[in-house]
Amino acid sequence: MQQVAIVLLNALTLAALYFVVASGLTLIFGLMRIVNMAHGSLFLLGGYVGFSISDSSGSWVLGLLGGAIAAGAVGLALYQLLLARFQNQMLRQTLVSIGCAIVMADLMLAFWGAETYQIEPPALLDRVVRLPVAGGYSTLRLYVLAFAVIVGGLLWLLLNRTRLGMMIRAGVDDLQTLRALGVRVRLVFPVTAFLAGALAGLAGVVFGTALSISPGEGMHFLLTSLVVVIAGGMGSIPGAALGAILVGLAEQFGVFYLPTYSVMLTFGLMAAVLAFRPEGLFGVKA
Amino acid sequence: MKPPRAWIGAIAGGAALLVIPLVANSFWLDQIVTQALCLSLVAGSLSFLIRFGGQVSLAQVAIVGAASYALAYLGPNSSGLGPHWSLAAAIPAALLAAVLVATLIGMLAARTRGIYCLMITLAIGVTFFYLARQNYSIFGGFRGIAGIRRPEIAGLSLAGSVPFYALCATVAVLAYGAIRQLGRTPLGVALTALATNPDRVEAAGYDIRYLRILAFALSGVMAGSAGILLAWFHGRISPGAVDVSSIIQILVIAVLGGMGSLPGALLGAVLYLLLENFAIDLIGAERFNSLIGGVFLVVMVASPDGLLGLSKRSALLRNALPLGPAGKSPSSDRSPSQPGAAATASSANQGSEIAG
């Protein structure tokens, strides 16, 4: 029972991170119809920059902000310089961003090397708490969970309760009408691109703090985010949350009870969802 | 009626294939030409899927892997795995395995289009890699299966460079010819139409799911042949041959030359291998990925249908024609409509049509 509780908690904290990364992807991909396969590289960049800043300044918060801003800025640059030119050419965007991902991964390898980095957590957050059933558990991981809930809530509010969110949604439905109404569309999409990159970067720093960051993680998080977004349904924040929880559970229980084939479980889950709902759990019927 | 240009191309290509073994030394023949032929079969099976059926699949490498692993496991190997059948039995079994895996992938991907298809097949490809790496009883785990012997055909051993090159060239020519023929059959026409306008094909009374699965199965024959040849080329198969970088490699090759075109696949494969072998002189061996990624990026930004398309369209580009935005595809009710977009006949539209 104690074991099940610990695995469950681990699954949820992992799901929290998957959700934050995938929410950035679902935002840019589902709402703007922009496919950014370099999203995993932005996650990795955020983690690296976060490590370098917090390591040299000694401040974790600075690292978190720096990582998020760096990933957001690169995400914005990718969008402005490359992806925006191919609006509505999904395949081309995908290929261009895969090219960017290849180059970025290689440059990061050149700069940060192949080591594994662990970002020093703030002492305030790094304790062990006694929980019922599970016993001792790291508070750091519980904060990760809280972090994801806050990010998800803010995102939902942004999209459904603010002018900017309204513009984003309207811009997707009918860009020309929105333009004709005098909304400055040219500002809305770059802001969204920055936000999506920053979300990936934030998650990168948090992941590097709670676990550790190394070159393979970019691909790992890109693939997981894709599975989460596909299973949850494109462009849906609640869908991303549900997808992330399902993937987190499948992965962690898989690692524990079926160590050899745990990766297959994650995929089997996606296949099962798609067999019944090709558009994902929360996806709009295409 | 074939246009005379196609004849000239076919004759020139055939002559080149015959002359190459006479002039190339063993490094060029093995590492560049033969390997390029094998890789172009893999990339060509992706191009085939794009042209006939309009699906961009990243799981072709998994199909190749299925054939290689089946051949290695069922046939003679030095890793002490499998029943050690004779090659005469293992070769058809390997092809069958490839077609079965391709059909399964087709079933999963048939309900999806464009970018969704791409992501699902990417996930399938990566899963296959993990399966191959984690399973020791069949796939040989991390080390894979070694000691795959090349066969003898009519007393001639394929161990030498030239006979093996001849085999690869023959398979490539056969595949190319078969695809040309398919394009002329009613089935081929239906599949081509599926790539450009699936809704209309459905309206004409075809079952598009069945057609798509069929396209996957057919591409599986081609990818499976490549899998057998590649297994013989390397003499072994390991998870590294089906990992993410291999998946990306095939995509890069298919796109560099020109998506959806078989000569383009060969051009892309040659270019890729040249870059890989001579990157040391250009940029240093360490940063090969930056180089290939950069080349890929430049080609993609300049021309969505690769180098072949670039040569065809350079005149158009000079006139600064906008590369057509996608037509509004009925399958996505949320994409902004573009007036007159569907009328742009440039091949730049092909990519976006697929990704609708």
Side-chain angles (χ1 to χ4, degrees), chain A residues 29 88 90-92 94-96 102 106 110 172 176 219 226 230 234 260-261 263-264 267 274-275 278 286, chain B residues 111 115-116 119-120 124 127 130 134-135 244 248 287 289-290 296-297 300-301 323 326 331 334 337-338 355:
Chain A
F29 175 48
N88 306 323
M90 273 202 177
L91 184 63
R92 213 167 157 191
T94 310
L95 295 172
V96 165
I102 297 171
D106 200 50
V172 167
Q176 277 147 339
M219 198 47 163
L226 289 179
I230 292 171
M234 289 200 321
T260 318
Y261 299 112
V263 184
M264 313 281 295
F267 168 73
L274 285 172
Chain B
R111 295 176 68 177
I115 192 68
Y116 251 58
M119 294 195 301
I120 287 158
I124 294 173
T127 308
Y130 280 116
Q134 305 286 27
N135 177 295
V244 174
I248 300 283
R287 298 277 76 84
N289 275 339
S290 289
F296 178 77
L297 254 180
M300 258 341 279
V301 170
L323 297 180
S331 71
R334 305 172 58 193
S337 60
Q338 299 279 353

Side-chain angles (χ1 to χ4, degrees), chain A residues 16-35:
Chain A
L17 282 166
Y18 287 158
F19 164 72
V20 176
V21 181
S23 64
L25 192 72
T26 215
L27 199 66
I28 198 167
F29 175 48
L31 294 170
M32 296 160 64
R33 303 257 149 185
I34 289 261
V35 182

Side-chain angles (χ1 to χ4, degrees), chain A residues 107-130:
Chain A
L107 291 179
M108 286 190 280
L109 190 67
F111 196 80
W112 278 283
E115 295 100 271
T116 302
Y117 293 106
Q118 160 111 53
I119 301 169
E120 195 60 43
L124 192 74
L125 304 184
D126 196 14
R127 301 207 177 119
V128 174
V129 63
R130 307 247 0 124

